[in-house]
């Protein structure tokens, strides 16, 4: 019996990798440290680039059945209420520009559930919970993954999809803790009927203020409304699921538009997380071990591409393995070489956008004037480098 690919981490990236490999006929075992497979968080955005990945994985219909499809991306000035820029992402022109693929938004839990249900019925794919990996050994012809209960699990290779605080990365690269951005995000989800009158809209809206911004958009076919409030803060708490301080939230947004304050007032139990990333790296594969998603290239949320990049990673990784003729080390190196520049560009551009969203004073006026200038070409042209997507590796490894 062939040893399986071991995937450490059962989040979106880990499940996508497992599904992509299993659909190419490779045995896979996913090891999740929690008691169950689930995703925390709220809404995420899906660019046209990831819809081609859904197509290749056979998930398009399931995703579309749970997503919402906004009409526009809109940026508003959080102090004056003026509209800075608008991109008609729901237009025929936008979809045509990007190969017919749409722009959508989805609850993170819904997307994870689509991936999980596909994995549960996929032949050759085993899902295990309460399996916390602490270290690995690369034996040259196989990998041994050591668990916290003392069990040693053998596989043909290991994919570290264990997130921002990846143990696999720490052992491989030893580059310490993630970089703390100084930005805090508070998130919440409202039922549609809880949204203040006149403020529900089928758009992704960003209100940009001095060292703050608020994003809101519909989820789950318009039944829910996603809110994310971000501001600069010295507070720090590891993890994604801590309760925040509404007092600090309202203090940071004091003096901003009534629309912003009205949405903030609707929530009394915000969940908070600290935004972190890492410097891009050239190498994230070594021997029979590689990294994927946030373990490889964690990024700030300002391009809304974290789950998209992890899904692209998964499809490229499986393609490289399929082309390798059984040479896993060569496959992992090719996968890394295919991905590192694109993901590094997303990482660094996301940082830049975070700065742009939060400027004040004269820089705020310059930003507004710059973004208000009409762009050449069809809608979304400025983001074509991202939304055009990727070519899937083909040919010999």
């Amino acid at each position: 019996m062939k040893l399986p690919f071991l995937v450490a981490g059962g989040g979106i990236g880990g499940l996508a990798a497992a599904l992509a490999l299993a659909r190419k006929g490779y045995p896979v075992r996913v090891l999740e440290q929690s008691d169950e497979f689930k995703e925390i968080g709220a809404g995420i955005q899906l660019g046209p680039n990831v819809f081609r990945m859904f197509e290749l994985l056979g998930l398009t219909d399931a995703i579309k059945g749970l997503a919402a499809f906004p009409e526009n991306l809109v940026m508003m000035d959080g102090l004056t209420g003026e509209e800075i820029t608008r991109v008609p992402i729901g237009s025929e022109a936008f979809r045509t520009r990007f190969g017919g693929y749409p722009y959508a938004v989805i609850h993170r839990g819904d997307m994870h559930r689509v991936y999980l249900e596909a994995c549960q019925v996929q032949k050759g794919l085993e899902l295990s919970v309460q399996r916390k990996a602490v270290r690995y050994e690369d034996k040259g012809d196989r990998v041994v993954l050591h668990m916290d209960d003392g069990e040693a699990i053998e596989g043909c290779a290991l994919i570290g999809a264990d997130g921002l605080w990846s143990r696999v990365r720490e052992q491989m690269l030893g580059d310490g803790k993630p970089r703390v951005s100084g930005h805090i995000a508070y998130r919440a989800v409202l039922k549609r009927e809880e949204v203040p009158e006149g403020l529900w809209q089928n758009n992704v809206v960003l209100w940009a203020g001095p060292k703050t911004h608020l994003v809101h958009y519909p989820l789950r076919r318009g039944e829910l409304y996603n809110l994310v409030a971000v501001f600069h803060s010295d507070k720090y708490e590891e993890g994604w699921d801590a309760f925040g301080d509404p007092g600090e939230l309202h203090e940071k947004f004091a003096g901003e538009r009534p629309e912003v304050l009205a949405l903030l007032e609707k929530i009394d139990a915000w969940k908070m997380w600290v935004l972190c990333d890492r410097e891009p790296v050239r190498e994230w594969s070594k021997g029979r071990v590689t990294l994927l998603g946030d373990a490889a290239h964690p990024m700030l949320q300002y391009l809304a591409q974290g789950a998209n990049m992890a899904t692209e990673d998964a499809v490229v990784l499986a393609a490289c393995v399929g082309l390798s003729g059984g040479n896993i080390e060569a496959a992992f190196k090719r996968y890394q070489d295919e991905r590192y520049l694109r993901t590094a560009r997303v990482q660094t551009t996301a940082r830049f956008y975070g700065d742009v969203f939060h400027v004040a004073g004269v820089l705020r006026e310059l930003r507004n004037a710059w973004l208000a200038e009409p762009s050449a070409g069809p809608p979304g042209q400025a983001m074509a480098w991202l939304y055009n997507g990727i070519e899937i590796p083909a040919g010999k490894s």
Side-chain angles (χ1 to χ4, degrees), residues 180-236:
V180 179
S181 68
H183 301 179
I184 304 294
Y186 283 57
R187 52 183 165 77
V189 177
L190 301 178
K191 295 179 180 178
R192 181 165 180 168
E193 58 268 24
E194 296 172 338
V195 179
E197 186 175 357
L199 295 185
W200 191 97
Q201 53 181 298
N202 188 29
N203 294 315
V204 177
V205 181
L206 185 148
W207 295 86
K211 295 187 177 181
T212 68
H213 78 265
L214 172 70
V215 175
H216 53 83
Y217 52 82
L219 292 174
R220 198 173 292 161
R221 302 172 296 269
E223 298 163 15
L224 303 175
Y225 212 53
N226 187 63
L227 305 178
V228 181
V230 177
F231 55 84
H232 293 209
S233 175
D234 295 330
K235 280 193 174 182
Y236 177 75

Side-chain angles (χ1 to χ4, degrees), residues 40-44 108 164-165 180-189 213 215 217 226-233 235-245 248-249 270-277 294 299-302:
I40 60 174
I44 54 178
R108 182 178 292 272
L164 179 67
W165 297 88
V180 179
S181 68
H183 301 179
I184 304 294
Y186 283 57
R187 52 183 165 77
V189 177
H213 78 265
V215 175
Y217 52 82
N226 187 63
L227 305 178
V228 181
V230 177
F231 55 84
H232 293 209
S233 175
K235 280 193 174 182
Y236 177 75
E237 185 167 349
E238 179 181 333
W240 288 60
D241 205 30
F243 280 96
D245 176 5
E248 183 189 23
L249 179 72
W270 290 79
K271 292 290 187 72
M272 178 195 81
W273 77 101
V274 180
L275 302 185
C276 301
D277 66 356
D294 283 350
M299 52 194 59
L300 300 180
Q301 71 196 49
Y302 299 113

